[in-house]
Amino acid sequence: MEVKNNKLYFNNISAENLAKKYGTPLYVYEAATIWERYHSLVDHIQYPHLKVHYAAKANANPAILKIIKDLGGGIEAVSRGKIELALKAGFKPSQIIYTCNGAEVDELKYIIKKGIRINIDSLDQLETWGKLNPNSNVSLRLNLDIGAGSHIYITTGGQKSKFGIHISNIKDAKKIAQKYNLTIIGIHQHIGSDVLNPQVFMKAIKALMKVSQHFGDLESINFGGGFGVPYKPEQKPLDTKKFAQFFDKALNKFVKEYGKELDVLIEPGRYLVAESGTLLTTVTDIKSNPSRTFVSTNTGMNHLIRQAMYFAYQKISNASKVKGTKKKVTVVGNICESADMFAEDRTITSPKKGDILAIHDSGAYGYTMSSFYNARVRPAEVLIDKGQP
Ligand code: LLP
């Protein structure tokens, strides 16, 4: 993405031309950004048995899944639907890991039939799994009382969180495993999402390594995802080099203590795709009252719900006129809800009717969380790869 003649471009195609060709609202993804982010996260890590399982809940567009496949990654899937999308994109069952709380028996039967690895989320799930599939291998998703995230709703550790087998239940989990002759070959943890502070990761990584000593048959240890992106102008990107240095050091120590080199898994979602995506929308209406100017667009919380759901901040620019006279505006959607707002009192280049606005960093948890609310259809999606849509 770059600015030419004061307009936003994706390689050689302007946002306005993309909007003309495909209509708006439109999700535009840039393949090059995904490649870049993948390498920046992974390349600094020296540990030889690192496996990246992309959290497909962030964005399961088939073209994006294919990029992840070409990059050599696997998939973290939360449902049968995500598994089917991954299989369709060409991933082998052995490249997919399934993690779901409250999974239905039929879904577990499907996982067993396909031979897909599972991170068991609760003692009940472990019991059900044991009955369905005794003498098998399992991994456990643990909740070690460490949670983090840029909003309480995306924090997935700690006693207020529904996720994982709490640390206080480990003994019981081992008993159930014994009852059904299950071998616990993996432990997993995902503390939350959109974390930019490396200290938090370090704490969580150390805690999972420590708890691994309770499990003698491990083949893998999975640190989940959560790597944040700088949505706000004042935020700094995650220092992936520093993270890798810490990670390698901790892993080397861990290998010595555990006495065996395990597969080490991470499950990034947002980090790989958020910044690759832009939601383009057309300004349809502008109105002012004594305190605010509202800029209405032809998209809404039905297409991008992060602002309404987590008070999330995403940058917005005027793709038709990147620089110029600025105005403080409230950018809203066309949905019949007061939470349908993308930015409150935000200063952007003064928009006029028909301008194309770009809502940046929308590649993760954008389209995947979209709905048919108000009977408005979902936006189209287009991938720019090697300069071409
Ligand atoms: N692994 C597990 C088990 C997860 O539950 C998740 C995300 C990830 C990995 C990937 O996390 P990431 O690297 O993307 O932070 N809709 C929210 C985010 C929800 C994340 C759910 N779990 C948002 O728009 O911010």
Side-chain angles (χ1 to χ4, degrees):
M1 200 183 341
E2 62 258 304
V3 179
K4 282 190 245 179
N5 307 323
N6 210 22
K7 291 183 186 296
L8 194 67
Y9 271 74
F10 297 85
N11 287 89
N12 291 323
I13 309 135
S14 70
E16 285 180 328
N17 277 340
L18 282 171
K20 243 182 238 156
K21 190 163 177 197
Y22 300 102
T24 58
L26 176 71
Y27 273 104
V28 184
Y29 307 122
E30 291 173 282
T33 310
I34 303 175
W35 280 83
E36 197 279 321
R37 292 300 184 277
Y38 188 97
H39 284 295
S40 80
L41 186 61
V42 168
D43 287 1
H44 300 302
I45 299 171
Q46 306 287 321
Y47 186 74
H49 309 292
L50 179 76
K51 306 250 179 321
V52 179
H53 283 257
Y54 166 61
K57 70 199 78 179
N59 190 329
N61 179 294
I64 289 184
L65 295 184
K66 190 173 173 303
I67 295 173
I68 300 294
K69 194 172 155 285
D70 292 345
L71 279 160
I75 293 291
E76 186 270 326
V78 66
S79 64
R80 175 177 177 157
K82 291 282 176 199
I83 293 172
E84 283 174 356
L85 285 170
L87 292 172
K88 223 171 167 179
F91 288 92
K92 295 190 198 89
S94 61
Q95 293 175 294
I96 304 171
I97 298 181
Y98 168 85
T99 313
C100 175
N101 75 287
E104 290 184 74
V105 171
D106 278 353
E107 195 154 282
L108 294 178
K109 283 184 182 163
Y110 171 81
I111 306 296
I112 293 164
K113 195 173 113 208
K114 290 280 174 194
I116 285 167
R117 275 182 288 171
I118 183 168
N119 288 315
I120 299 273
D121 181 79
S122 70
L123 297 183
D124 261 356
Q125 200 178 82
L126 188 59
E127 189 82 47
T128 309
W129 182 273
K131 281 184 196 143
L132 292 172
N133 200 20
N135 315 313
S136 61
N137 292 336
V138 288
S139 296
L140 304 182
R141 175 176 186 165
L142 300 177
N143 179 341
L144 304 181
D145 265 346
I146 302 173
S150 59
H151 189 273
I152 181 75
Y153 288 172
I154 57 174
T155 300
T156 52
Q159 291 178 28
K160 287 199 169 146
S161 168
K162 66 171 180 167
F163 296 104
I165 297 173
H166 189 257
I167 187 167
S168 57
N169 291 323
I170 287 181
K171 262 197 190 141
D172 292 329
K174 287 172 82 171
K175 268 192 213 148
I176 297 170
Q178 212 173 13
K179 181 167 146 198
Y180 295 102
N181 195 28
L182 304 173
T183 311
I184 300 168
I185 58 158
I187 50 172
H188 166 276
Q189 169 182 243
H190 172 70
I191 59 168
S193 197
D194 198 21
V195 180
L196 279 170
N197 180 356
Q199 309 289 340
V200 177
F201 286 115
M202 294 176 195
K203 189 174 158 202
I205 287 165
K206 282 186 182 160
L208 193 63
M209 285 174 174
K210 192 166 167 216
V211 93
S212 71
Q213 304 301 341
H214 293 285
F215 302 93
D217 302 311
L218 293 183
E219 292 173 12
S220 71
I221 181 164
N222 185 335
F223 297 101
F227 308 97
V229 300
Y231 284 111
K232 297 181 183 161
E234 69 273 18
Q235 286 178 321
K236 286 203 179 77
L238 196 72
D239 187 339
T240 48
K241 207 169 166 186
K242 234 190 193 157
F243 170 75
Q245 280 165 357
F246 163 79
F247 199 42
D248 276 329
K249 203 168 148 200
L251 286 171
N252 288 336
K253 188 164 170 264
F254 168 71
V255 166
K256 276 192 204 124
E257 281 165 11
Y258 197 74
K260 186 174 155 195
E261 287 198 349
L262 303 183
D263 278 348
V264 166
L265 279 59
I266 54 171
E267 300 174 338
R270 182 189 321 271
Y271 186 81
L272 301 183
V273 294
E275 292 159 289
S276 80
T278 309
L279 177 58
L280 297 181
T281 179
T282 304
V283 175
T284 49
D285 196 308
I286 301 179
K287 68 174 156 193
S288 298
N289 67 24
S291 54
R292 270 190 169 169
T293 295
F294 293 95
V295 173
S296 293
T297 61
N298 66 346
T299 184
M301 61 189 284
N302 53 332
H303 298 156
L304 179 60
I305 202 173
R306 302 194 62 257
Q307 289 75 7
M309 203 160 164
Y310 320 116
F311 290 99
Y313 180 105
Q314 289 181 220
K315 294 170 210 114
I316 298 181
S317 65
N318 186 339
S320 302
K321 193 172 46 182
V322 177
K323 282 195 177 137
T325 320
K326 303 267 184 210
K327 193 170 173 142
K328 196 188 264 185
V329 296
T330 293
V331 181
V332 300
N334 57 5
I335 292 300
C336 193
E337 294 276 347
S338 291
D340 184 31
M341 262 189 299
F342 293 114
E344 277 188 87
D345 296 324
R346 183 88 60 85
T347 303
I348 61 172
T349 309
S350 188
K352 61 177 190 336
K353 245 168 100 168
D355 278 355
I356 304 297
L357 297 189
I359 307 178
H360 298 274
D361 306 322
S362 297
Y365 308 108
Y367 187 90
T368 39
M369 292 179 80
S370 65
S371 74
F372 187 55
Y373 187 41
N374 278 197
R376 292 201 181 276
V377 295
R378 289 180 169 84
E381 299 173 279
V382 61
L383 178 83
I384 311 285
D385 196 4
K386 300 185 185 76
Q388 296 302 317

